């Protein structure tokens, strides 16, 4: 990185990109079986609700024009 020409009021901000800590963070705790089961159950619940919403919402998304089929057959019968 390039150095600024003007002075920086806080020296630690200017040198923050060069600072490396020699302290390693503690290892992450492993999730217990109960926590894993809870996460899986929550995921399955969310996915099932989304799938259910799509399945129940599909009839509302269909294009249905109630009078068109009857009009076509009646019109076809009049022209014969």
């Amino acid at each position: 990185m390039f150095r600024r020409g003007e002075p920086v009021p806080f020296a630690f901000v200017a040198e923050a990109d060069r600072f490396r800590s020699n302290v390693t963070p503690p290892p992450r705790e492993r999730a217990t079986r109960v926590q894993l089961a809870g996460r899986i159950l929550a995921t399955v619940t969310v996915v099932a609700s989304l799938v259910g919403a799509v399945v129940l919402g599909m009839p509302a998304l269909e294009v249905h024009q109630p009078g068109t089929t009857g009009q076509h057959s009646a019109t076809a019968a009049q022209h014969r």
Side-chain angles (χ1 to χ4, degrees), residues 43-61:
T43 303
V44 168
T45 303
V46 169
V47 170
S49 64
L50 290 173
V51 169
V54 169
V55 168
L56 293 175
M58 286 302 289
L61 295 175

Side-chain angles (χ1 to χ4, degrees), residues 29-65:
E29 294 182 14
R30 294 185 57 102
T32 63
R33 290 182 190 260
V34 174
Q35 289 173 335
L36 287 176
R39 290 177 188 170
I40 291 171
L41 181 64
T43 303
V44 168
T45 303
V46 169
V47 170
S49 64
L50 290 173
V51 169
V54 169
V55 168
L56 293 175
M58 286 302 289
L61 295 175
E62 291 179 1
V63 178
H64 180 68
Q65 298 172 350

Side-chain angles (χ1 to χ4, degrees), residues 4-16:
R4 293 183 183 190
E6 70 271 5
V8 178
F10 301 102
F12 65 89
V13 174
E15 296 179 8

